[in-house]
Every structure is written in structure tokens, then in C-alpha cells.
Amino acid sequence: MVTLDTRTLTVPVGIVRMLEVVLTCISFSLVASVGHFGSSYWAWCMFTWVFCCLVTLLILIMEFTTLHARVPISWDDFTTAFAMLSTLMVLAASIIYPTFFTCVSCGKQIAATVISCLAFPLYATEVGLIRAKPGEISGFLSTVPGLLKVLEAFVACIIFISLDHGSYSRFPGLQWCVAVYSLCFIFALIIILFTICRLLSLFPFPFDKVLTGYNVLAVLMYMTCVVIWPLYSFQNNHSRPNGCGRNCYWDNQVVVAFMTCFNLVVYIVDTVYSFRLVFFVTPA
């Protein structure tokens, strides 16, 4: 029997989620009414607004009907990870869409961008409302290392949508970089999914030590990419080619290089945090 819990719609996080649904729905509706663009950036923005709208609506329905209590997953981990991911995705869409697809006379595009920018602080507020506070018992994804894992996976997604097959397929060094991005993304995704599905006990070794070892390996691999990617990508193109339009391949190379450096920093922070938890924090 389904029990309706109206309180879930009147608490602050419930109100925030309802506003998120409305704003993301308006954003993708406005952009869809303009028409389709054959670009991975356009597809990413549309996917962001549709995905965030539908999953946020699903969370509202599940909590309103109390069906979330019957789902065999860690609901707190799921909602926290989704809120963090949505914050990053909406922020990226709010930057990417006006950069590539908005002009001074594009009324609907400007409106969609403004509304998307309003949705971003709402998702950020949701993260602050539901993430674990110091001293609280919570799931892994509600902690700082868990949120960093979501950030690492998100940055990898931005790298993937910026990759041009014709650019990296010519050099083995660039192919190595793509392999690093893929392997680290897959492992981060496995950690997130195993946490949500409560399968961490299946790891044959202590999870915290596995995580620390993976972080060290990821830092080392990303360090090679920070050197190799710009070395091969810009060896004959040190500056932006003349006449290169909005969807210039050179811009994509810069995005990949910047995001590689950014993700390296995130992995270093994650590694330091993991080392501190494993080797320097003694259980009470």
C-alpha cells in the first residue's frame, strides 16, 4: 500500500526540487523549440536539462509516495550523488550553451540560458541541504571523498564530449590519454554504482585502501596526460587558427587540456584526503 507523505513537498529540499523541475523543464523546452544542432555540445546541454528534470521529478514522486523506502539501493547516496552531478551538469550547460549557440538577437536561447543559470544555485543548495554534516553517519557518496568521485566522473564526461576522433587517432600518445580518461572514468563510475547499490562488501580488499591505491594510480596516469596531451595536440598549432569558427577543433583541444589539468588537481586532493583518512585518522 502506498502512503503519501505531503511533508516531503513542504520541507526546504522538497521546495527546492520542485523549482528545479520547473526551471529545467522550461530550459529544454525553449531550446527544443529553436531546433536541433548537430553538435556534441548541444546534445550535452539538452541531455543535461532533460535528465535533471526527469530524475528530480522521479525523486519527488518516490519520496512523496514513500516508495523510496522499498528500493534496494542507498537512497541517501543516490540523491546526494545526483544533486552533486546535476549541479555540475547544469553549471556546464549554462556556460556551454550561450558560448556556442546564443546571439544578441536570440531571445529563446538567452531565456533558456538565464533560466538554466537560475537552476544551478538551486541544485547547489540541494547539495548543501542533504550532504553529510560532520559527525553524522552517512553513506560514502555523502562525504567529501564521495563528492570528489562524482566530480572526477563529471570532468571526464566534459573531456569526452570535447574529443575529436580525427585529432587523437593520429598519435599513440593521444590514444594513451583517451585510454586514461576512459579507465579512470569507468572505475569512478563503478565506485559510485557499487556504493548506491550497496555492493561495496563485494570488494575482496578493504574499500578505503583500494580507493587510496586507485587514487595514487589515477594521479600518476593523469600526470602523464597533462604532459602528453598538449605536447601532441599543439605541436603544429600553438595559436588558434585564423578563420576558425565557433566549433573550432582547436578550442576543443584547449578544453581537453584544461580539464585534464583540473581533474589531476581533483585526484590529488582526493588522494591526500584518502591518505589522511586511512593512515592518519585513528578510529575512536
Side-chain angles (χ1 to χ4, degrees):
M1 181 177 177
V2 175
T3 304
L4 301 182
D5 185 4
T6 56
R7 193 181 68 87
T8 60
L9 302 179
T10 57
V11 295
V13 69
I15 296 172
V16 167
R17 284 170 177 162
M18 287 189 288
L19 292 173
E20 292 166 356
V21 170
V22 173
L23 293 181
T24 51
C25 180
I26 294 174
S27 288
F28 78 73
S29 298
L30 287 171
V31 173
S33 67
V34 175
H36 172 73
F37 292 89
S39 166
S40 60
Y41 290 127
W42 186 90
W44 168 264
C45 294
M46 280 296 289
F47 171 77
T48 293
W49 294 317
V50 173
F51 172 75
C52 292
C53 177
L54 293 181
V55 177
T56 304
L57 181 60
L58 176 64
I59 291 173
L60 280 171
I61 294 173
M62 294 290 285
E63 294 194 346
F64 177 64
T65 58
T66 66
L67 289 175
H68 69 285
R70 305 179 187 179
V71 179
I73 64 173
S74 175
W75 187 255
D76 290 339
D77 277 322
F78 169 70
T79 53
T80 303
F82 170 73
M84 177 64 175
L85 182 62
S86 298
T87 301
L88 298 170
M89 292 176 68
V90 172
L91 173 62
S94 301
I95 296 172
I96 292 172
Y97 189 76
T99 301
F100 293 100
F101 308 107
T102 302
C103 60
V104 177
S105 59
C106 302
K108 290 184 177 180
Q109 290 93 325
I110 293 174
T113 301
V114 172
I115 293 171
S116 181
C117 290
L118 294 176
F120 162 67
L122 289 176
Y123 278 108
T125 300
E126 183 182 350
V127 173
L129 290 173
I130 65 178
R131 75 170 291 266
K133 306 300 187 297
E136 291 183 350
I137 299 175
S138 61
F140 171 71
L141 293 180
S142 299
T143 63
V144 172
L147 295 176
L148 287 173
K149 277 285 163 281
V150 177
L151 177 57
E152 290 158 5
F154 165 77
V155 174
C157 289
I158 297 297
I159 291 174
F160 291 144
I161 66 172
S162 303
L163 288 174
D164 179 13
H165 180 267
S167 298
Y168 69 79
S169 60
R170 296 175 296 166
F171 303 106
L174 297 183
Q175 293 173 20
W176 158 256
C177 294
V178 175
V180 170
Y181 304 144
S182 302
L183 289 172
C184 292
F185 170 76
I186 291 171
F187 198 87
L189 192 60
I190 289 174
I191 292 174
I192 293 170
L193 293 177
F194 270 51
T195 302
I196 292 174
C197 298
R198 298 173 178 171
L199 299 175
L200 292 179
S201 59
L202 297 180
F203 277 93
F205 306 103
F207 175 68
D208 54 352
K209 292 182 173 58
V210 171
L211 197 60
T212 302
Y214 157 71
N215 286 337
V216 172
L217 182 61
V219 167
L220 295 175
M221 292 194 297
Y222 259 88
M223 287 176 67
T224 65
C225 294
V226 166
V227 176
I228 294 174
W229 184 268
L231 181 66
Y232 283 96
S233 296
F234 305 116
Q235 62 179 353
N236 297 320
N237 300 295
H238 299 293
S239 59
R240 196 174 192 270
N242 294 326
C244 211
R246 278 193 171 187
N247 292 316
C248 182
Y249 72 92
W250 193 86
D251 295 339
N252 294 340
Q253 306 280 44
V254 173
V255 171
V256 174
F258 175 78
M259 287 300 175
T260 300
C261 296
F262 182 82
N263 225 13
L264 172 61
V265 174
V266 176
Y267 273 109
I268 291 174
V269 173
D270 196 1
T271 302
V272 172
Y273 209 98
S274 298
F275 263 94
R276 190 173 71 87
L277 291 178
V278 173
F279 299 107
F280 299 103
V281 177
T282 57

